[in-house]
Each structure stands twice: as C-alpha cells, then as structure tokens.
Amino acid sequence: MTNVYIAGAAVHPFGKHKTLSAADLGVSAAATLLADTGVTPDAIQAGFVGSVYGGSLVAQRILQRVGVSGQPVFTIENACASGGSAANLAWQGIAAGVYDCVLVVGVENLSAFGGGTLPLTTADIEIDQGVVMPATYAMRAQRYLFETGATVADLTNVAVKNRGNGALNPRAHLRKAVTAEEVEASRPVADPFNLFHCCPNSDGAAAVLLCSEAFAKQLGRPTARIRASVVRSGQFHTSYRDMTWPDITDRTASAAYEMSGITPADLDLVELHDAFAIAEFLHAEALGIAERGKAYQAVADGEFNIGGRVAVSPSGGLLSRGHPVGASGVTQLAEAYWQLIGTAGDLQVPNAQVALTHTTGGGIFGVDNGACSVHILTAEG
C-alpha cells in the first residue's frame, strides 16, 4: 500500500454559531485549509465529508463553494464516528493508489436543535423506551464505580483536567478552567453526572488534507504519517453485556496496533471520545493505556496530563473542545497533526512522536456502539 500523510489541517472554532449553517461552517474550515496549504481546488481528487445532521448532499454543498466541483464527493454518516469514518475512506483511496490528494471535512451545527439531548434514530426498541446517551453513560459510570471503587470525585478529576487543557485551546467551545468544587456544584444531569461531567453540544467544522508520499514531497509541507486507519462496527447480540468494557474500542484499537506495529506503550498522546467523564476511563482501558479498572488512578496520579506518561485529550477533549458530532473525529486528527509537527502551542506535548485518535458512538439496540474509528499517526522527519 502507498503511505498516507496529513499535510495540513484547519478548524472552525467550536461553539454556538446559530447564524451559520453546517455548510457555512464546513466552507470556513475547507477554505482555510486550501489557503494555508496552497493546494488549488483542481488538485483535490476526491472529497469526503462526515456529518450526522448536515442534511442531504452536505459534501457537495460545502466543497462546490470552495471550488471542488465535479470530482467524486461523498457524505459519510456513521454517528459520532462520521468524521473518523470519512478520514478512513479517504485513507483507503490513497493507500490503494486511487488518489494522491483528498480533502476530508467534518461538520455539524447542533444549535439547530435548540438544546437538550441529541435526537436518536427511531424504530429502535431501546430508544423507543426512552434511552438517551446521558442515561446510557450514567449506567456505565454507576457500574464502573461499583466494580472498581472509584468515586464521583474521580469523574470530576477528568472534567478538571480536560477543561484545564481546553482553556488553552483557541478552538475549544469551553475555554474556562474549572475547579472540582465548580464541577460538583454544576446542575445534576443523570446520576452520577453533573453538567460539567458532560460534553457540550457544539457547532463547528474541521478539515484535513490527506495525500500520498509523492504528493507530500511535491507540496513540501510538514507532514504526519497515518500508520493505521481502522473502522469497526458493533457486534450484535442480545445476551449479557459488560457495560464497563467497550468491546468495539478494544477490537478497533487492536486492529490499528497490528496494522501499525505500534503498541500502547509507544503512544505520546491520545485524543479519545470523552463525551462523558466516565468515557475516559472506559476507553483508556480498552485502548491499553491503563490497566483494566485502574484508569481512574492514572488520572488522579497525573499520568494522563500534558507532560505525563501519555497525554490524554491535550486539546481539551469533547468535554471542553465540544462535540459537533460529525466534526469531532476530523478535529482530533487536526489536533494530533499539530502536535506531531510541533505547532500545538500551549497544548504541545513534549517531544510528541506518536498519536492515536479515537471516536465511537451510535446507540442502537444490540450493540455497545454503532461505529468506532481509530487512527495512529507518527511524526515524520
């Protein structure tokens, strides 16, 4: 296979952008990326846009406004893994030698829903009975606390860490550090979560330029190599399910480690899907960067801090950066790219050489999650 590289990234800052459509946000990110890299629209051989609620043909509505018109263009919906899935398909096309230069965009405007929990699919037995994502993650949290001896204070440690990181990120939705007391005083959402244990619904967009090695050399820009790109779906069954073990993350990450030849011990930073504070514990353990049942201790001991053993969500994660669902996976790749080329500013992880990004989501009956994407990147040169 042809080696695949990221050679540029751009993010429209996350937040509440009620006057902008999903297409407007996507155009902002894509146009900034093309201007920054100097790549002309006719050099883009294909476009992949991840979005859940952006509407029909959102990819065409974005890319034609930046001059990418006539090329093959695809809109990818795969729940919270939509952006990561779009990147995976772009990676496949370049790795197979079909394309040399591909534009990937992730976009969402959740302000259109006016607040509250995100609408989930209909005709699903669990959703018809009232299941929403905060309640699902709250059940996972209750079981994890029961089995491990962790406490709500440990969940609060995740929120404090990630909000502290996000306070340094000019692209983050929530740019204010919080204390443990402020987290605990925020309003209840779903026991044991308070508001600050939950990610905000955000609007935003991100774009990354994926290219072959030959195109990257011709472009002459700093690059990071994508050593692995893997997407998996949930395995359906109706028997007992361990709510403290995200099997889909374990399977996806295991395939990525095998593909890349990289191990969890090699990672310098991880951008994971911390939609709720408990997710950092669950996914860190499934990704192999913490012993099962011990991730809460790693957070408490500072092992996941910037400058710690492995920086987890140095960008602020979903808890601070926000979660415009289609954009999250692409933004993670942008943040990892900047880390690996050494331009992450106040967020910079010292001597970052290896990064992993992870998104998972989609609550449907019979699976732990609908889709999961994992990418492993390394610094080049």
Side-chain angles (χ1 to χ4, degrees):
M1 295 191 301
T2 299
N3 292 339
V4 182
Y5 296 82
I6 297 179
V11 172
H12 187 290
F14 291 4
K16 293 296 184 183
H17 303 298
K18 297 181 181 180
T19 63
L20 300 177
S21 68
D24 293 333
L25 294 166
V27 168
S28 173
T32 299
L33 175 62
L34 293 177
D36 287 351
T37 60
V39 173
T40 59
D42 62 319
I44 303 296
Q45 296 172 316
F48 294 84
V49 177
S51 185
V52 180
Y53 303 105
S56 176
L57 298 177
V58 68
Q60 283 86 344
R61 289 187 283 116
I62 291 169
L63 297 183
Q64 67 186 13
R65 286 170 57 184
V66 298
V68 179
S69 179
Q71 297 96 314
V73 168
F74 305 89
T75 298
I76 310 302
E77 188 279 305
N78 218 7
C80 300
S82 294
S85 297
N88 171 260
L89 291 171
W91 174 87
Q92 288 186 48
I94 296 172
V98 177
Y99 308 122
D100 281 306
C101 181
V102 175
L103 180 59
V104 179
V105 178
V107 65
E108 216 73 72
N109 185 322
L110 299 181
S111 289
F113 297 112
T117 61
L118 293 179
L120 301 177
T121 185
T122 56
D124 182 283
I125 186 171
E126 292 183 348
I127 294 168
D128 288 346
Q129 294 297 315
V131 164
V132 292
M133 296 313 295
T136 298
Y137 275 94
M139 289 189 285
R140 291 170 177 162
Q142 292 284 20
R143 189 66 195 179
Y144 185 91
L145 300 187
F146 174 79
E147 290 191 3
T148 66
T151 67
V152 175
D154 292 302
L155 297 174
T156 297
N157 286 340
V158 176
V160 170
K161 172 179 71 72
N162 292 356
R163 285 288 295 272
N165 291 346
L168 303 174
N169 187 347
R171 299 166 292 278
H173 183 166
L174 303 177
R175 295 197 60 203
K176 180 181 180 297
V178 295
T179 65
E181 292 74 21
E182 289 173 318
V183 176
E184 292 162 4
S186 61
R187 65 176 174 83
V189 173
D191 191 27
F193 296 144
N194 289 349
L195 183 64
F196 290 178
H197 293 122
C198 311
C199 71
N201 288 348
S202 307
D203 312 324
V208 292
L209 186 75
L210 268 60
C211 57
S212 66
E213 187 170 7
F215 190 95
K217 288 180 178 178
Q218 181 181 0
L219 191 60
R221 286 181 50 80
T223 60
R225 182 180 167 193
I226 301 179
R227 297 285 296 273
S229 177
V230 177
V231 172
R232 293 288 186 269
S233 61
Q235 291 183 322
F236 179 84
H237 65 82
T238 57
S239 59
Y240 166 79
R241 186 176 302 282
D242 185 348
M243 297 194 76
T244 70
W245 185 249
D247 171 73
I248 192 171
T249 293
D250 174 39
R251 290 187 293 107
T252 311
S254 295
Y257 291 136
E258 182 178 0
M259 179 183 292
S260 65
I262 286 168
T263 71
D266 298 321
L267 300 174
D268 297 309
L269 67 117
V270 171
E271 291 284 350
L272 62 71
H273 192 88
D274 61 327
F276 299 86
I278 186 61
E280 181 154 323
F281 300 156
L282 302 181
H283 295 306
E285 292 172 11
L287 291 171
I289 59 173
E291 184 181 344
R292 183 148 187 202
K294 302 296 183 183
Y296 74 96
Q297 294 180 351
V299 172
D301 292 342
E303 294 181 28
F304 292 172
N305 291 351
I306 295 176
R309 174 172 60 83
V310 52
V312 176
S313 297
S315 70
L318 278 59
L319 286 174
S320 183
R321 196 183 63 243
H323 186 28
V325 286
S328 292
V330 181
T331 303
Q332 290 179 339
L333 290 170
E335 297 285 354
Y337 168 70
W338 288 320
Q339 288 281 356
L340 295 175
I341 67 171
T343 62
D346 292 337
L347 308 173
Q348 187 65 53
V349 174
N351 195 33
Q353 299 294 307
V354 186
L356 180 148
T357 68
H358 159 267
T359 55
T360 185
I364 58 175
F365 172 65
V367 301
D368 57 347
N369 272 133
C372 180
S373 71
V374 170
H375 291 82
I376 296 176
L377 299 83
T378 55
E380 295 296 309

